[in-house]
Amino acid sequence: MVLAGAGFRPDDPDLAEYVIADFDAFDEWLEEDETIVSHPRDPFHRVDVRRSSRHVRVEVDGVPLADTKWPLLVFETSLPPRLYLPPSDVDFTRLRESARETACAYKGRARYWSAKVGGRTHPDLAWAYEKPLPDAGQLAGHVAFFDERVDVTLDGERVPRPVTPWS
């Protein structure tokens, strides 16, 4: 069934046989009987989760927010690797849950925290997938920080901040 306004034909005559779908016009996307989160998946996009025993320390403005020797590393197509840390190794006394929520077609729905350090608030600095999609199940409850906005030390070496759309 096609909803009114859910699709349109492009003006380009080379694309006359195609319809462009307006993803926001649909209440829900299904693949067979399963709900698709955010948008249909790209079959060439990968998200690989790997356990690690590397020592990770996360700081903002010189104040530690997390310290662990049991991170999960996420390797996702076209993105720098992300570190997901066990919640037991994150200092939640410095984090405040924010209203922000996002959805990822590969990992699921995320909730966010802002960090309050030295009278300064760093908005939406960390996130977690409480109930990740099956392919990212290992991430459940683990916390990631925007490496673009925090200082990360990996095995005693400071890691340069990556430049991404979230910088």
Side-chain angles (χ1 to χ4, degrees):
M1 175 168 112
V2 177
L3 300 174
F8 59 91
R9 294 202 180 272
D11 291 333
D12 186 333
D14 291 337
L15 301 175
E17 299 293 319
Y18 296 91
V19 173
I20 297 174
D22 176 6
F23 295 117
D24 294 330
F26 295 90
D27 293 334
E28 182 178 36
W29 281 91
L30 295 173
E31 185 173 285
E32 292 300 325
D33 292 335
E34 294 188 19
T35 300
I36 300 299
V37 175
S38 184
H39 59 80
R41 291 179 172 200
D42 175 346
F44 301 104
H45 187 104
R46 293 182 58 108
V47 177
D48 297 315
V49 180
R50 300 290 180 256
R51 290 184 308 275
S52 177
S53 59
R54 299 182 77 180
H55 184 199
V56 177
R57 185 174 171 91
V58 176
E59 298 178 348
V60 68
D61 293 342
V63 175
L65 298 178
D67 194 313
T68 190
K69 291 184 180 174
W70 307 108
L72 296 175
L73 275 67
V74 174
F75 300 93
E76 185 168 359
T77 304
S78 302
L79 295 174
R82 288 279 181 211
L83 300 160
Y84 282 75
L85 313 179
S88 59
D89 294 339
V90 175
D91 183 359
F92 282 97
T93 65
R94 301 210 177 266
L95 301 179
R96 304 288 180 267
E97 193 164 356
S98 71
R100 181 176 179 155
E101 291 183 5
T102 59
C104 170
Y106 307 93
K107 296 182 289 289
R109 299 188 188 285
R111 66 183 190 138
Y112 285 74
W113 292 270
S114 297
K116 182 108 179 185
V117 174
R120 182 173 167 213
T121 298
H122 300 267
D124 304 325
L125 196 63
W127 70 91
Y129 296 94
E130 294 301 317
K131 296 178 184 174
L133 295 174
D135 291 344
Q138 291 171 273
L139 298 180
H142 283 66
V143 179
F145 290 87
F146 278 109
D147 294 356
E148 300 86 339
R149 302 181 201 161
V150 296
D151 295 316
V152 176
T153 304
L154 189 59
D155 291 332
E157 298 288 326
R158 178 71 51 89
V159 178
R161 290 185 179 184
V163 176
T164 73
W166 301 279
S167 296

PDB file of all heavy atoms in Angstrom, residues 82-118:
ATOM      1  N   ARG A  82      34.735   3.110  17.336  1.00  0.00           N
ATOM      2  CA  ARG A  82      34.144   3.646  18.565  1.00  0.00           C
ATOM      3  C   ARG A  82      34.424   2.691  19.705  1.00  0.00           C
ATOM      4  O   ARG A  82      34.407   1.473  19.539  1.00  0.00           O
ATOM      5  CB  ARG A  82      32.628   3.800  18.430  1.00  0.00           C
ATOM      6  CG  ARG A  82      32.179   4.899  17.551  1.00  0.00           C
ATOM      7  CD  ARG A  82      32.211   6.236  18.260  1.00  0.00           C
ATOM      8  NE  ARG A  82      31.734   7.256  17.350  1.00  0.00           N
ATOM      9  CZ  ARG A  82      32.122   8.503  17.355  1.00  0.00           C
ATOM     10  NH1 ARG A  82      32.998   8.920  18.250  1.00  0.00           N
ATOM     11  NH2 ARG A  82      31.651   9.357  16.494  1.00  0.00           N
ATOM     12  N   LEU A  83      34.644   3.267  20.876  1.00  0.00           N
ATOM     13  CA  LEU A  83      34.865   2.498  22.096  1.00  0.00           C
ATOM     14  C   LEU A  83      33.571   2.490  22.904  1.00  0.00           C
ATOM     15  O   LEU A  83      33.015   3.550  23.203  1.00  0.00           O
ATOM     16  CB  LEU A  83      35.974   3.148  22.921  1.00  0.00           C
ATOM     17  CG  LEU A  83      37.327   3.254  22.227  1.00  0.00           C
ATOM     18  CD1 LEU A  83      38.190   4.303  22.901  1.00  0.00           C
ATOM     19  CD2 LEU A  83      38.005   1.900  22.225  1.00  0.00           C
ATOM     20  N   TYR A  84      33.096   1.323  23.254  1.00  0.00           N
ATOM     21  CA  TYR A  84      31.923   1.181  24.115  1.00  0.00           C
ATOM     22  C   TYR A  84      32.419   0.573  25.421  1.00  0.00           C
ATOM     23  O   TYR A  84      33.070  -0.476  25.417  1.00  0.00           O
ATOM     24  CB  TYR A  84      30.866   0.289  23.461  1.00  0.00           C
ATOM     25  CG  TYR A  84      30.070   1.005  22.396  1.00  0.00           C
ATOM     26  CD1 TYR A  84      30.614   1.270  21.151  1.00  0.00           C
ATOM     27  CD2 TYR A  84      28.772   1.441  22.653  1.00  0.00           C
ATOM     28  CE1 TYR A  84      29.886   1.942  20.173  1.00  0.00           C
ATOM     29  CE2 TYR A  84      28.033   2.116  21.687  1.00  0.00           C
ATOM     30  CZ  TYR A  84      28.593   2.358  20.454  1.00  0.00           C
ATOM     31  OH  TYR A  84      27.870   3.018  19.493  1.00  0.00           O
ATOM     32  N   LEU A  85      32.097   1.237  26.527  1.00  0.00           N
ATOM     33  CA  LEU A  85      32.664   0.876  27.822  1.00  0.00           C
ATOM     34  C   LEU A  85      31.613   0.271  28.748  1.00  0.00           C
ATOM     35  O   LEU A  85      30.452   0.710  28.751  1.00  0.00           O
ATOM     36  CB  LEU A  85      33.266   2.126  28.467  1.00  0.00           C
ATOM     37  CG  LEU A  85      34.149   2.973  27.541  1.00  0.00           C
ATOM     38  CD1 LEU A  85      34.663   4.194  28.262  1.00  0.00           C
ATOM     39  CD2 LEU A  85      35.287   2.157  26.976  1.00  0.00           C
ATOM     40  N   PRO A  86      32.010  -0.710  29.557  1.00  0.00           N
ATOM     41  CA  PRO A  86      31.049  -1.285  30.505  1.00  0.00           C
ATOM     42  C   PRO A  86      30.514  -0.187  31.428  1.00  0.00           C
ATOM     43  O   PRO A  86      31.280   0.666  31.902  1.00  0.00           O
ATOM     44  CB  PRO A  86      31.882  -2.293  31.299  1.00  0.00           C
ATOM     45  CG  PRO A  86      33.101  -2.548  30.481  1.00  0.00           C
ATOM     46  CD  PRO A  86      33.341  -1.296  29.689  1.00  0.00           C
ATOM     47  N   PRO A  87      29.221  -0.195  31.709  1.00  0.00           N
ATOM     48  CA  PRO A  87      28.661   0.861  32.567  1.00  0.00           C
ATOM     49  C   PRO A  87      29.301   0.911  33.952  1.00  0.00           C
ATOM     50  O   PRO A  87      29.381   1.982  34.554  1.00  0.00           O
ATOM     51  CB  PRO A  87      27.171   0.528  32.640  1.00  0.00           C
ATOM     52  CG  PRO A  87      27.042  -0.866  32.149  1.00  0.00           C
ATOM     53  CD  PRO A  87      28.220  -1.158  31.271  1.00  0.00           C
ATOM     54  N   SER A  88      29.791  -0.214  34.453  1.00  0.00           N
ATOM     55  CA  SER A  88      30.430  -0.232  35.769  1.00  0.00           C
ATOM     56  C   SER A  88      31.734   0.565  35.782  1.00  0.00           C
ATOM     57  O   SER A  88      32.228   0.924  36.854  1.00  0.00           O
ATOM     58  CB  SER A  88      30.700  -1.676  36.213  1.00  0.00           C
ATOM     59  OG  SER A  88      31.534  -2.318  35.262  1.00  0.00           O
ATOM     60  N   ASP A  89      32.282   0.863  34.609  1.00  0.00           N
ATOM     61  CA  ASP A  89      33.547   1.599  34.511  1.00  0.00           C
ATOM     62  C   ASP A  89      33.354   3.056  34.092  1.00  0.00           C
ATOM     63  O   ASP A  89      34.310   3.736  33.715  1.00  0.00           O
ATOM     64  CB  ASP A  89      34.489   0.888  33.535  1.00  0.00           C
ATOM     65  CG  ASP A  89      34.909  -0.479  34.055  1.00  0.00           C
ATOM     66  OD1 ASP A  89      34.822  -0.708  35.283  1.00  0.00           O
ATOM     67  OD2 ASP A  89      35.320  -1.315  33.236  1.00  0.00           O
ATOM     68  N   VAL A  90      32.104   3.526  34.129  1.00  0.00           N
ATOM     69  CA  VAL A  90      31.769   4.906  33.774  1.00  0.00           C
ATOM     70  C   VAL A  90      31.337   5.643  35.035  1.00  0.00           C
ATOM     71  O   VAL A  90      30.575   5.106  35.840  1.00  0.00           O
ATOM     72  CB  VAL A  90      30.643   4.936  32.715  1.00  0.00           C
ATOM     73  CG1 VAL A  90      30.190   6.360  32.428  1.00  0.00           C
ATOM     74  CG2 VAL A  90      31.096   4.243  31.436  1.00  0.00           C
ATOM     75  N   ASP A  91      31.810   6.874  35.208  1.00  0.00           N
ATOM     76  CA  ASP A  91      31.450   7.688  36.374  1.00  0.00           C
ATOM     77  C   ASP A  91      30.143   8.427  36.092  1.00  0.00           C
ATOM     78  O   ASP A  91      30.132   9.536  35.568  1.00  0.00           O
ATOM     79  CB  ASP A  91      32.570   8.686  36.682  1.00  0.00           C
ATOM     80  CG  ASP A  91      32.271   9.508  37.931  1.00  0.00           C
ATOM     81  OD1 ASP A  91      31.195   9.325  38.545  1.00  0.00           O
ATOM     82  OD2 ASP A  91      33.121  10.347  38.282  1.00  0.00           O
ATOM     83  N   PHE A  92      29.027   7.777  36.433  1.00  0.00           N
ATOM     84  CA  PHE A  92      27.714   8.367  36.177  1.00  0.00           C
ATOM     85  C   PHE A  92      27.398   9.528  37.109  1.00  0.00           C
ATOM     86  O   PHE A  92      26.420  10.232  36.888  1.00  0.00           O
ATOM     87  CB  PHE A  92      26.622   7.292  36.260  1.00  0.00           C
ATOM     88  CG  PHE A  92      26.545   6.435  35.031  1.00  0.00           C
ATOM     89  CD1 PHE A  92      27.172   5.201  34.991  1.00  0.00           C
ATOM     90  CD2 PHE A  92      25.864   6.871  33.899  1.00  0.00           C
ATOM     91  CE1 PHE A  92      27.123   4.415  33.854  1.00  0.00           C
ATOM     92  CE2 PHE A  92      25.799   6.093  32.757  1.00  0.00           C
ATOM     93  CZ  PHE A  92      26.433   4.863  32.730  1.00  0.00           C
ATOM     94  N   THR A  93      28.219   9.758  38.143  1.00  0.00           N
ATOM     95  CA  THR A  93      27.974  10.913  39.006  1.00  0.00           C
ATOM     96  C   THR A  93      28.224  12.212  38.241  1.00  0.00           C
ATOM     97  O   THR A  93      27.744  13.266  38.645  1.00  0.00           O
ATOM     98  CB  THR A  93      28.857  10.889  40.275  1.00  0.00           C
ATOM     99  OG1 THR A  93      30.236  11.026  39.899  1.00  0.00           O
ATOM    100  CG2 THR A  93      28.634   9.606  41.071  1.00  0.00           C
ATOM    101  N   ARG A  94      28.967  12.148  37.162  1.00  0.00           N
ATOM    102  CA  ARG A  94      29.260  13.330  36.342  1.00  0.00           C
ATOM    103  C   ARG A  94      28.351  13.430  35.116  1.00  0.00           C
ATOM    104  O   ARG A  94      28.439  14.378  34.350  1.00  0.00           O
ATOM    105  CB  ARG A  94      30.701  13.308  35.892  1.00  0.00           C
ATOM    106  CG  ARG A  94      31.665  13.285  37.063  1.00  0.00           C
ATOM    107  CD  ARG A  94      32.947  13.966  36.725  1.00  0.00           C
ATOM    108  NE  ARG A  94      33.830  14.010  37.868  1.00  0.00           N
ATOM    109  CZ  ARG A  94      33.894  15.030  38.713  1.00  0.00           C
ATOM    110  NH1 ARG A  94      33.140  16.079  38.541  1.00  0.00           N
ATOM    111  NH2 ARG A  94      34.733  15.000  39.724  1.00  0.00           N
ATOM    112  N   LEU A  95      27.512  12.439  34.907  1.00  0.00           N
ATOM    113  CA  LEU A  95      26.633  12.424  33.737  1.00  0.00           C
ATOM    114  C   LEU A  95      25.191  12.656  34.134  1.00  0.00           C
ATOM    115  O   LEU A  95      24.745  12.200  35.190  1.00  0.00           O
ATOM    116  CB  LEU A  95      26.759  11.080  33.003  1.00  0.00           C
ATOM    117  CG  LEU A  95      28.151  10.702  32.498  1.00  0.00           C
ATOM    118  CD1 LEU A  95      28.111   9.336  31.828  1.00  0.00           C
ATOM    119  CD2 LEU A  95      28.690  11.756  31.551  1.00  0.00           C
ATOM    120  N   ARG A  96      24.482  13.370  33.291  1.00  0.00           N
ATOM    121  CA  ARG A  96      23.055  13.634  33.482  1.00  0.00           C
ATOM    122  C   ARG A  96      22.327  13.174  32.233  1.00  0.00           C
ATOM    123  O   ARG A  96      22.702  13.573  31.118  1.00  0.00           O
ATOM    124  CB  ARG A  96      22.776  15.130  33.683  1.00  0.00           C
ATOM    125  CG  ARG A  96      23.537  15.784  34.811  1.00  0.00           C
ATOM    126  CD  ARG A  96      23.022  15.339  36.183  1.00  0.00           C
ATOM    127  NE  ARG A  96      23.767  15.964  37.263  1.00  0.00           N
ATOM    128  CZ  ARG A  96      24.828  15.441  37.857  1.00  0.00           C
ATOM    129  NH1 ARG A  96      25.299  14.285  37.464  1.00  0.00           N
ATOM    130  NH2 ARG A  96      25.431  16.055  38.857  1.00  0.00           N
ATOM    131  N   GLU A  97      21.299  12.343  32.409  1.00  0.00           N
ATOM    132  CA  GLU A  97      20.552  11.873  31.240  1.00  0.00           C
ATOM    133  C   GLU A  97      19.925  13.071  30.524  1.00  0.00           C
ATOM    134  O   GLU A  97      19.389  13.978  31.156  1.00  0.00           O
ATOM    135  CB  GLU A  97      19.473  10.884  31.666  1.00  0.00           C
ATOM    136  CG  GLU A  97      18.886  10.142  30.495  1.00  0.00           C
ATOM    137  CD  GLU A  97      18.104   8.904  30.899  1.00  0.00           C
ATOM    138  OE1 GLU A  97      18.062   8.565  32.091  1.00  0.00           O
ATOM    139  OE2 GLU A  97      17.549   8.282  29.989  1.00  0.00           O
ATOM    140  N   SER A  98      20.038  13.071  29.204  1.00  0.00           N
ATOM    141  CA  SER A  98      19.475  14.170  28.425  1.00  0.00           C
ATOM    142  C   SER A  98      18.217  13.693  27.697  1.00  0.00           C
ATOM    143  O   SER A  98      17.911  12.502  27.703  1.00  0.00           O
ATOM    144  CB  SER A  98      20.506  14.717  27.427  1.00  0.00           C
ATOM    145  OG  SER A  98      20.731  13.795  26.393  1.00  0.00           O
ATOM    146  N   ALA A  99      17.528  14.607  27.074  1.00  0.00           N
ATOM    147  CA  ALA A  99      16.296  14.269  26.364  1.00  0.00           C
ATOM    148  C   ALA A  99      16.563  13.686  24.987  1.00  0.00           C
ATOM    149  O   ALA A  99      15.662  13.139  24.358  1.00  0.00           O
ATOM    150  CB  ALA A  99      15.427  15.524  26.231  1.00  0.00           C
ATOM    151  N   ARG A 100      17.783  13.776  24.510  1.00  0.00           N
ATOM    152  CA  ARG A 100      18.105  13.331  23.159  1.00  0.00           C
ATOM    153  C   ARG A 100      18.004  11.816  23.024  1.00  0.00           C
ATOM    154  O   ARG A 100      18.444  11.062  23.885  1.00  0.00           O
ATOM    155  CB  ARG A 100      19.508  13.773  22.783  1.00  0.00           C
ATOM    156  CG  ARG A 100      19.862  13.353  21.377  1.00  0.00           C
ATOM    157  CD  ARG A 100      21.192  13.841  20.948  1.00  0.00           C
ATOM    158  NE  ARG A 100      21.428  13.360  19.602  1.00  0.00           N
ATOM    159  CZ  ARG A 100      22.218  13.923  18.744  1.00  0.00           C
ATOM    160  NH1 ARG A 100      22.869  15.003  19.062  1.00  0.00           N
ATOM    161  NH2 ARG A 100      22.368  13.421  17.548  1.00  0.00           N
ATOM    162  N   GLU A 101      17.425  11.396  21.920  1.00  0.00           N
ATOM    163  CA  GLU A 101      17.387   9.992  21.523  1.00  0.00           C
ATOM    164  C   GLU A 101      17.620   9.948  20.022  1.00  0.00           C
ATOM    165  O   GLU A 101      17.193  10.831  19.300  1.00  0.00           O
ATOM    166  CB  GLU A 101      16.027   9.367  21.841  1.00  0.00           C
ATOM    167  CG  GLU A 101      15.765   9.203  23.321  1.00  0.00           C
ATOM    168  CD  GLU A 101      14.438   8.516  23.598  1.00  0.00           C
ATOM    169  OE1 GLU A 101      13.762   8.073  22.644  1.00  0.00           O
ATOM    170  OE2 GLU A 101      14.085   8.426  24.772  1.00  0.00           O
ATOM    171  N   THR A 102      18.341   8.925  19.567  1.00  0.00           N
ATOM    172  CA  THR A 102      18.556   8.740  18.136  1.00  0.00           C
ATOM    173  C   THR A 102      18.303   7.284  17.781  1.00  0.00           C
ATOM    174  O   THR A 102      18.199   6.439  18.662  1.00  0.00           O
ATOM    175  CB  THR A 102      19.995   9.129  17.721  1.00  0.00           C
ATOM    176  OG1 THR A 102      20.923   8.326  18.436  1.00  0.00           O
ATOM    177  CG2 THR A 102      20.278  10.609  17.960  1.00  0.00           C
ATOM    178  N   ALA A 103      18.222   7.033  16.478  1.00  0.00           N
ATOM    179  CA  ALA A 103      18.017   5.667  16.013  1.00  0.00           C
ATOM    180  C   ALA A 103      19.045   5.348  14.942  1.00  0.00           C
ATOM    181  O   ALA A 103      19.352   6.179  14.096  1.00  0.00           O
ATOM    182  CB  ALA A 103      16.607   5.510  15.453  1.00  0.00           C
ATOM    183  N   CYS A 104      19.586   4.159  15.010  1.00  0.00           N
ATOM    184  CA  CYS A 104      20.552   3.654  14.040  1.00  0.00           C
ATOM    185  C   CYS A 104      19.998   2.358  13.461  1.00  0.00           C
ATOM    186  O   CYS A 104      19.601   1.465  14.217  1.00  0.00           O
ATOM    187  CB  CYS A 104      21.898   3.398  14.722  1.00  0.00           C
ATOM    188  SG  CYS A 104      23.078   2.523  13.680  1.00  0.00           S
ATOM    189  N   ALA A 105      19.986   2.242  12.161  1.00  0.00           N
ATOM    190  CA  ALA A 105      19.456   1.050  11.500  1.00  0.00           C
ATOM    191  C   ALA A 105      20.253  -0.202  11.826  1.00  0.00           C
ATOM    192  O   ALA A 105      19.762  -1.315  11.645  1.00  0.00           O
ATOM    193  CB  ALA A 105      19.433   1.274   9.990  1.00  0.00           C
ATOM    194  N   TYR A 106      21.472  -0.039  12.310  1.00  0.00           N
ATOM    195  CA  TYR A 106      22.350  -1.169  12.562  1.00  0.00           C
ATOM    196  C   TYR A 106      22.471  -1.523  14.040  1.00  0.00           C
ATOM    197  O   TYR A 106      22.757  -2.660  14.382  1.00  0.00           O
ATOM    198  CB  TYR A 106      23.741  -0.888  11.980  1.00  0.00           C
ATOM    199  CG  TYR A 106      23.641  -0.500  10.529  1.00  0.00           C
ATOM    200  CD1 TYR A 106      23.558   0.833  10.158  1.00  0.00           C
ATOM    201  CD2 TYR A 106      23.551  -1.472   9.548  1.00  0.00           C
ATOM    202  CE1 TYR A 106      23.417   1.184   8.821  1.00  0.00           C
ATOM    203  CE2 TYR A 106      23.404  -1.127   8.215  1.00  0.00           C
ATOM    204  CZ  TYR A 106      23.332   0.204   7.856  1.00  0.00           C
ATOM    205  OH  TYR A 106      23.181   0.554   6.548  1.00  0.00           O
ATOM    206  N   LYS A 107      22.287  -0.525  14.912  1.00  0.00           N
ATOM    207  CA  LYS A 107      22.481  -0.753  16.350  1.00  0.00           C
ATOM    208  C   LYS A 107      21.194  -0.590  17.155  1.00  0.00           C
ATOM    209  O   LYS A 107      21.058  -1.182  18.209  1.00  0.00           O
ATOM    210  CB  LYS A 107      23.568   0.177  16.878  1.00  0.00           C
ATOM    211  CG  LYS A 107      24.941  -0.114  16.245  1.00  0.00           C
ATOM    212  CD  LYS A 107      26.037   0.750  16.786  1.00  0.00           C
ATOM    213  CE  LYS A 107      25.978   2.179  16.388  1.00  0.00           C
ATOM    214  NZ  LYS A 107      26.268   2.530  15.014  1.00  0.00           N
ATOM    215  N   GLY A 108      20.266   0.231  16.730  1.00  0.00           N
ATOM    216  CA  GLY A 108      19.010   0.408  17.447  1.00  0.00           C
ATOM    217  C   GLY A 108      18.799   1.834  17.917  1.00  0.00           C
ATOM    218  O   GLY A 108      19.290   2.786  17.317  1.00  0.00           O
ATOM    219  N   ARG A 109      18.068   1.972  19.028  1.00  0.00           N
ATOM    220  CA  ARG A 109      17.735   3.300  19.576  1.00  0.00           C
ATOM    221  C   ARG A 109      18.662   3.606  20.750  1.00  0.00           C
ATOM    222  O   ARG A 109      18.836   2.780  21.642  1.00  0.00           O
ATOM    223  CB  ARG A 109      16.284   3.347  20.021  1.00  0.00           C
ATOM    224  CG  ARG A 109      15.331   3.101  18.871  1.00  0.00           C
ATOM    225  CD  ARG A 109      13.875   3.322  19.237  1.00  0.00           C
ATOM    226  NE  ARG A 109      13.009   2.889  18.161  1.00  0.00           N
ATOM    227  CZ  ARG A 109      12.816   3.543  17.014  1.00  0.00           C
ATOM    228  NH1 ARG A 109      13.437   4.685  16.818  1.00  0.00           N
ATOM    229  NH2 ARG A 109      12.007   3.061  16.095  1.00  0.00           N
ATOM    230  N   ALA A 110      19.217   4.826  20.725  1.00  0.00           N
ATOM    231  CA  ALA A 110      20.183   5.226  21.756  1.00  0.00           C
ATOM    232  C   ALA A 110      19.618   6.326  22.630  1.00  0.00           C
ATOM    233  O   ALA A 110      18.867   7.186  22.173  1.00  0.00           O
ATOM    234  CB  ALA A 110      21.475   5.712  21.090  1.00  0.00           C
ATOM    235  N   ARG A 111      20.014   6.291  23.894  1.00  0.00           N
ATOM    236  CA  ARG A 111      19.720   7.395  24.811  1.00  0.00           C
ATOM    237  C   ARG A 111      21.046   8.067  25.155  1.00  0.00           C
ATOM    238  O   ARG A 111      22.111   7.455  25.062  1.00  0.00           O
ATOM    239  CB  ARG A 111      18.984   6.917  26.053  1.00  0.00           C
ATOM    240  CG  ARG A 111      19.802   6.017  26.938  1.00  0.00           C
ATOM    241  CD  ARG A 111      18.969   5.522  28.102  1.00  0.00           C
ATOM    242  NE  ARG A 111      19.826   4.854  29.055  1.00  0.00           N
ATOM    243  CZ  ARG A 111      19.724   5.005  30.353  1.00  0.00           C
ATOM    244  NH1 ARG A 111      18.800   5.786  30.864  1.00  0.00           N
ATOM    245  NH2 ARG A 111      20.535   4.362  31.168  1.00  0.00           N
ATOM    246  N   TYR A 112      20.989   9.327  25.586  1.00  0.00           N
ATOM    247  CA  TYR A 112      22.192  10.138  25.752  1.00  0.00           C
ATOM    248  C   TYR A 112      22.334  10.697  27.160  1.00  0.00           C
ATOM    249  O   TYR A 112      21.351  10.818  27.892  1.00  0.00           O
ATOM    250  CB  TYR A 112      22.164  11.309  24.759  1.00  0.00           C
ATOM    251  CG  TYR A 112      22.462  10.881  23.355  1.00  0.00           C
ATOM    252  CD1 TYR A 112      21.526  10.187  22.606  1.00  0.00           C
ATOM    253  CD2 TYR A 112      23.694  11.140  22.773  1.00  0.00           C
ATOM    254  CE1 TYR A 112      21.795   9.777  21.318  1.00  0.00           C
ATOM    255  CE2 TYR A 112      23.980  10.736  21.481  1.00  0.00           C
ATOM    256  CZ  TYR A 112      23.023  10.053  20.762  1.00  0.00           C
ATOM    257  OH  TYR A 112      23.311   9.647  19.486  1.00  0.00           O
ATOM    258  N   TRP A 113      23.577  11.083  27.475  1.00  0.00           N
ATOM    259  CA  TRP A 113      23.903  11.780  28.707  1.00  0.00           C
ATOM    260  C   TRP A 113      24.769  12.995  28.376  1.00  0.00           C
ATOM    261  O   TRP A 113      25.595  12.953  27.461  1.00  0.00           O
ATOM    262  CB  TRP A 113      24.710  10.898  29.657  1.00  0.00           C
ATOM    263  CG  TRP A 113      23.964   9.754  30.234  1.00  0.00           C
ATOM    264  CD1 TRP A 113      23.244   9.739  31.397  1.00  0.00           C
ATOM    265  CD2 TRP A 113      23.878   8.431  29.696  1.00  0.00           C
ATOM    266  NE1 TRP A 113      22.722   8.489  31.599  1.00  0.00           N
ATOM    267  CE2 TRP A 113      23.099   7.668  30.562  1.00  0.00           C
ATOM    268  CE3 TRP A 113      24.391   7.824  28.542  1.00  0.00           C
ATOM    269  CZ2 TRP A 113      22.799   6.340  30.343  1.00  0.00           C
ATOM    270  CZ3 TRP A 113      24.096   6.492  28.307  1.00  0.00           C
ATOM    271  CH2 TRP A 113      23.313   5.769  29.202  1.00  0.00           C
ATOM    272  N   SER A 114      24.596  14.028  29.156  1.00  0.00           N
ATOM    273  CA  SER A 114      25.476  15.194  29.105  1.00  0.00           C
ATOM    274  C   SER A 114      26.408  15.103  30.304  1.00  0.00           C
ATOM    275  O   SER A 114      26.062  14.492  31.319  1.00  0.00           O
ATOM    276  CB  SER A 114      24.661  16.489  29.166  1.00  0.00           C
ATOM    277  OG  SER A 114      23.811  16.577  28.044  1.00  0.00           O
ATOM    278  N   ALA A 115      27.582  15.715  30.188  1.00  0.00           N
ATOM    279  CA  ALA A 115      28.545  15.693  31.297  1.00  0.00           C
ATOM    280  C   ALA A 115      28.591  17.073  31.935  1.00  0.00           C
ATOM    281  O   ALA A 115      28.623  18.089  31.245  1.00  0.00           O
ATOM    282  CB  ALA A 115      29.927  15.300  30.797  1.00  0.00           C
ATOM    283  N   LYS A 116      28.584  17.083  33.251  1.00  0.00           N
ATOM    284  CA  LYS A 116      28.709  18.326  34.013  1.00  0.00           C
ATOM    285  C   LYS A 116      30.065  18.280  34.711  1.00  0.00           C
ATOM    286  O   LYS A 116      30.292  17.459  35.590  1.00  0.00           O
ATOM    287  CB  LYS A 116      27.583  18.436  35.028  1.00  0.00           C
ATOM    288  CG  LYS A 116      27.624  19.697  35.819  1.00  0.00           C
ATOM    289  CD  LYS A 116      26.520  20.618  35.410  1.00  0.00           C
ATOM    290  CE  LYS A 116      26.594  21.868  36.255  1.00  0.00           C
ATOM    291  NZ  LYS A 116      25.532  22.753  36.036  1.00  0.00           N
ATOM    292  N   VAL A 117      30.986  19.154  34.267  1.00  0.00           N
ATOM    293  CA  VAL A 117      32.346  19.167  34.798  1.00  0.00           C
ATOM    294  C   VAL A 117      32.759  20.610  35.046  1.00  0.00           C
ATOM    295  O   VAL A 117      32.704  21.445  34.138  1.00  0.00           O
ATOM    296  CB  VAL A 117      33.332  18.495  33.810  1.00  0.00           C
ATOM    297  CG1 VAL A 117      34.757  18.623  34.290  1.00  0.00           C
ATOM    298  CG2 VAL A 117      32.968  17.027  33.603  1.00  0.00           C
ATOM    299  N   GLY A 118      33.164  20.894  36.284  1.00  0.00           N
ATOM    300  CA  GLY A 118      33.660  22.228  36.608  1.00  0.00           C
ATOM    301  C   GLY A 118      32.696  23.353  36.283  1.00  0.00           C
ATOM    302  O   GLY A 118      33.111  24.398  35.802  1.00  0.00           O
TER     303      GLY A 118
END
